[in-house]
Amino acid sequence: MKPGRLKQILLLTDGCSNHGEDPVVVAALARNQGVTVNVIGVLDDRQNSKPQGLDEVESIAEAGGGVSQIVYQKSLSQTVQMVTRQAMTQTIQGVVNKELQEILGKDQTIEELPPEQRGEVVEVVDELGESCDLEVLVLVDTSASMHHKLPTVKEALFDLSLSLNARSGSNQFSVFAFPDPKKTITKMVNWTPELGELHGIFSKLNSGGYTPTGPALKEALYAFAEKPLSDRMKDGEDPYEETGF
Amino acid sequence: MKKRAFDITPGSCLAGKWNGHTYTIIKKLGSGACGIVFLCRSSQGDTYALKVGEDSSRMMMEVNMLKKFSKVQGAKLGPSFVDVDDWVSPDRKTHPFYVMEYIDGVPLKHFLKGKSKEWVGIIAIQLLSDLENLHNEGYVFGDLKTDNLLIGNSRVRWIDVGGVTATGRAIKEYTEFYDRGYWGRGSRKAEPTYDLFAVTMILLEMSYPKRFEKGNHPEKTLEAKLSASPLLKPYRKIIQQCWMGKIQDAAEMKNKFSSILLKRSGKRSSSRMQKRLTTQESDNVELAALSLMAGVVFGVSIFSFWI
């Protein structure tokens, strides 16, 4: 099997959306377009109860075929890389399951194989996770309540790049922030293979009193399509492109 | 972690769906990263460790690793593999499980209580010689940490090989405190030096059982903690060399520890005597130290094998 190119949106937020279309619907749309949506809800280290509205985090990721996690600020770095990896494995497993069903018939999934064969399939999935190309669009909620968490977010993104760049497959990252009064989302970092020291990022922020998570997700989806032509040509050969499951 | 819908209590019987073997649960041993480990008895009356999990792929990866290392001749790397199967719980859900050798031992923290300071060095040497074997097989341990170790019969044993990664790949699983990436000391590529860094952090943890965070200047934090530790004073130089990337493999680091341990035990030799050891002689000393350590380690492993 040839390693393909996986696409993910990683949404970092700390509250519920209160403006524009339903983010769950947009996430489902993204999934159909072959883009997985992962969501991480970031809590204050001192916050001891789960605030209302964060249930949304789980629903968005579920609709987006991705992984969700609600974490305290201090464990953000490790969570960001874990969620990204889990979602990669999940997507690859989905593709492999589809292949298995074509060969072995309906309802046949990795879980239902005898342990011996399962072991072999899992090796293949692991190999693909190591060698596939990956595009991650990071979408950061920069509304007022997130401001003091942004240094941690910056650190976590650097760490994510460190983790993923240890793989043999190539990576592309970009970072967007929302809300933005004019364009809904603001491009912070253009597509780059490495999120190095993110100096000055998040320094000029516009924060209104609203959280348009749905519209922001939609814009993020467009941003995937607006990638340079050379990249889209490569995507054309992508076996994962049409896997809208 | 998700809540588990099933309930496994002492006395429960788990029957494998594919292989048909039955295991009786004796007690819970602990919770791992992706499952619960129980002590169990097979129908033949043998005692094993049994891990039940949720994520079948992850469990299979662990089984693949265990199988690989059961085949390695000579040195025992991790628990040996016994069985892998699925268990269908009363609520008709399928739970993957596997069975492995039960390693009876105590956590490092408890073991070191009341022991002499030399044990720090001996543990390091034991870890490094296992790593040397693993690295020679083309693998890196990855998630090397105190929680993944037990001491049985005065010998360090690995109990969780879930993080073992083929050399050159990306480390998938790590714990920040032991991860060189977290400390700004290198990449997360599976290289022998990745494990060597983790060994130095296990040593630091012996001095600081509650661990510590990196702060704003990770490198300075590490240096400060190291110099403030009387326990690690004899090994300070080796640890610093490792951090600077000057030690390339486990064997080299092991030799450095061996020579320090031997020097320290030679109480009768005055500092002047030690100075007079020329390079030639110190080579001999190192060789002697090595063979001594090898003898001890071999002896212990034979001993543990016997019982």
Side-chain angles (χ1 to χ4, degrees):
Chain A
M1 221 183 276
K2 241 181 104 185
R5 177 178 296 254
L6 303 188
K7 295 175 182 181
Q8 296 186 355
I9 292 174
L10 174 66
L11 171 65
L12 300 170
T13 182
D14 71 343
C16 58
S17 57
N18 53 18
H19 186 88
E21 55 221 294
D22 184 356
V24 178
V25 173
V26 184
L29 184 70
R31 186 186 192 174
N32 263 330
Q33 300 291 310
V35 179
T36 307
V37 182
N38 300 316
V39 194
I40 296 178
V42 193
L43 299 179
D44 266 320
D45 282 344
R46 266 175 261 151
Q47 214 163 337
N48 44 21
S49 67
K50 200 170 102 178
Q52 285 219 320
L54 267 182
D55 299 340
E56 191 187 65
V57 161
E58 207 172 311
S59 324
I60 300 174
E62 207 180 280
V67 177
S68 70
Q69 193 78 262
I70 293 173
V71 287
Y72 286 105
Q73 242 190 95
K74 60 172 186 280
S75 32
L76 187 64
S77 288
Q78 216 164 8
T79 308
V80 163
Q81 69 91 25
M82 204 182 69
V83 160
T84 307
R85 278 212 170 265
Q86 271 180 11
M88 281 172 73
T89 312
Q90 207 167 294
T91 310
I92 296 169
Q93 270 176 2
V95 176
V96 171
N97 274 338
K98 222 177 154 189
E99 299 268 326
L100 280 176
Q101 279 157 13
E102 263 164 37
I103 304 166
L104 301 167
K106 235 172 76 187
D107 300 333
Q108 185 71 53
T109 61
I110 301 173
E111 283 76 23
E112 277 144 87
L113 289 173
E116 285 296 315
Q117 277 123 295
R118 202 186 302 160
E120 285 166 36
V121 175
V122 162
E123 286 280 338
V124 174
V125 171
D126 187 57
E127 175 65 43
L128 288 173
E130 170 73 22
S131 55
C132 71
D133 296 336
L134 178 69
E135 286 172 12
V136 184
L137 186 151
V138 185
L139 185 57
V140 187
D141 171 0
T142 53
S143 57
S145 60
M146 276 292 284
H147 277 194
H148 67 285
K149 295 171 192 162
L150 293 177
T152 321
V153 168
K154 234 191 305 191
E155 206 174 294
L157 294 183
F158 174 69
D159 194 84
L160 176 71
S161 159
L162 185 73
S163 269
L164 293 176
N165 278 317
R167 301 180 319 124
S168 55
S170 79
N171 302 295
Q172 286 284 321
F173 303 96
S174 68
V175 183
F176 287 79
F178 75 101
D180 177 276
K182 283 182 203 137
K183 297 171 287 178
T184 312
I185 62 174
T186 322
K187 188 189 282 173
M188 293 286 173
V189 180
N190 202 0
W191 291 101
T192 166
E194 233 169 277
L195 292 174
E197 303 293 324
L198 301 167
H199 291 301
I201 185 180
F202 304 135
S203 53
K204 287 176 210 153
L205 293 173
N206 311 287
S207 52
Y210 65 106
T211 312
T213 310
L217 271 177
K218 202 166 198 178
E219 285 298 322
L221 200 51
Y222 294 147
F224 256 116
E226 283 160 14
K227 288 201 63 190
L229 189 67
S230 59
D231 272 17
R232 253 186 291 160
M233 302 250 298
K234 261 187 251 162
D235 288 353
E237 310 159 359
D238 182 4
Y240 295 115
E241 187 77 341
E242 281 156 43
T243 49
F245 27 79
Chain B
M1 220 53 286
K2 264 186 268 172
K3 260 194 176 175
R4 287 182 180 82
F6 60 96
D7 197 23
I8 300 173
T9 48
S12 305
C13 239
L14 266 67
K17 170 178 155 186
W18 304 93
N19 298 336
H21 300 297
T22 321
Y23 302 92
T24 312
I25 300 298
I26 300 172
K27 63 170 182 179
K28 185 177 159 179
L29 292 171
S31 307
C34 76
I36 312 174
V37 183
F38 297 95
L39 182 66
C40 74
R41 185 172 290 118
S42 72
S43 44
Q44 278 83 34
D46 297 313
T47 315
Y48 295 118
L50 180 151
K51 185 168 179 177
V52 189
E54 296 287 304
D55 181 346
S56 127
S57 301
R58 222 202 105 123
M59 295 279 286
M60 269 328 292
M61 287 299 291
E62 294 183 14
V63 167
N64 286 348
M65 280 305 154
L66 283 178
K67 278 184 178 168
K68 239 166 236 163
F69 298 127
S70 295
K71 284 179 200 153
V72 173
Q73 295 281 308
K76 227 177 189 185
L77 302 168
S80 36
F81 169 77
V82 178
D83 190 15
V84 54
D85 216 323
D86 290 331
W87 169 62
V88 183
S89 56
D91 57 353
R92 294 207 188 147
K93 288 215 173 82
T94 306
H95 308 276
F97 74 86
Y98 64 82
V99 184
M100 61 192 150
E101 173 194 5
Y102 168 54
I103 293 171
D104 192 7
V106 289
L108 189 57
K109 231 189 322 194
H110 302 308
F111 175 79
L112 286 173
K113 257 179 206 147
K115 293 276 193 308
S116 66
K117 283 200 290 189
E118 280 73 14
W119 274 101
V120 172
I122 292 171
I123 298 288
I125 289 168
Q126 291 181 350
L127 276 173
L128 289 164
S129 42
D130 282 352
L131 286 175
E132 187 186 348
N133 285 323
L134 183 73
H135 295 165
N136 287 341
E137 293 294 321
Y139 291 92
V140 166
F141 196 86
D143 199 8
L144 187 59
K145 56 177 172 180
T146 314
D147 287 350
N148 283 343
L149 305 172
L150 277 185
I151 318 276
N153 300 316
S154 297
R155 180 75 178 92
V156 174
R157 290 292 306 271
W158 298 335
I159 50 166
D160 186 349
V161 296
V164 175
T165 309
T167 310
R169 287 192 164 203
I171 298 281
K172 281 180 299 254
E173 210 174 281
Y174 61 86
T175 307
E176 281 180 345
F177 183 75
Y178 309 90
D179 165 51
R180 69 176 182 190
Y182 171 80
W183 293 102
R185 295 276 184 174
S187 75
R188 282 197 188 117
K189 251 205 190 319
E191 297 163 340
T193 46
Y194 186 88
D195 284 341
L196 301 187
F197 181 88
V199 171
T200 68
M201 294 313 289
I202 288 175
L203 296 179
L204 270 174
E205 196 184 3
M206 292 179 187
S207 223
Y208 304 93
K210 287 183 182 156
R211 305 191 203 165
F212 45 87
E213 282 177 13
K214 62 177 171 183
N216 289 330
H217 304 283
E219 302 202 1
K220 280 183 194 160
T221 307
L222 275 186
E223 287 293 343
K225 292 288 178 186
L226 178 62
S227 6
S229 159
L231 185 71
L232 298 181
K233 194 164 175 253
Y235 316 110
R236 200 177 290 167
K237 213 176 138 197
I238 307 178
I239 293 174
Q240 279 166 336
Q241 283 174 336
C242 178
W243 289 349
M244 285 184 288
K246 286 184 179 162
I247 300 178
Q248 291 310 309
D249 58 58
E252 187 187 344
M253 193 155 152
K254 185 180 76 179
N255 292 349
K256 285 180 191 283
F257 273 97
S258 304
S259 50
I260 297 245
L261 274 184
L262 199 91
K263 266 182 206 159
R264 281 171 58 79
S265 62
K267 272 181 192 156
R268 261 183 292 167
S269 61
S270 71
S271 61
R272 206 185 281 170
M273 278 284 283
Q274 280 185 0
K275 261 181 210 163
R276 244 192 280 157
L277 288 172
T278 60
T279 32
Q280 254 185 337
E281 276 164 325
S282 68
D283 273 349
N284 287 340
V285 170
E286 230 173 74
L287 210 72
L290 247 180
S291 46
L292 189 87
M293 286 318 301
V296 169
V297 167
F298 187 63
V300 168
S301 53
I302 289 229
F303 178 68
S304 56
F305 185 72
W306 212 249
I307 41 176

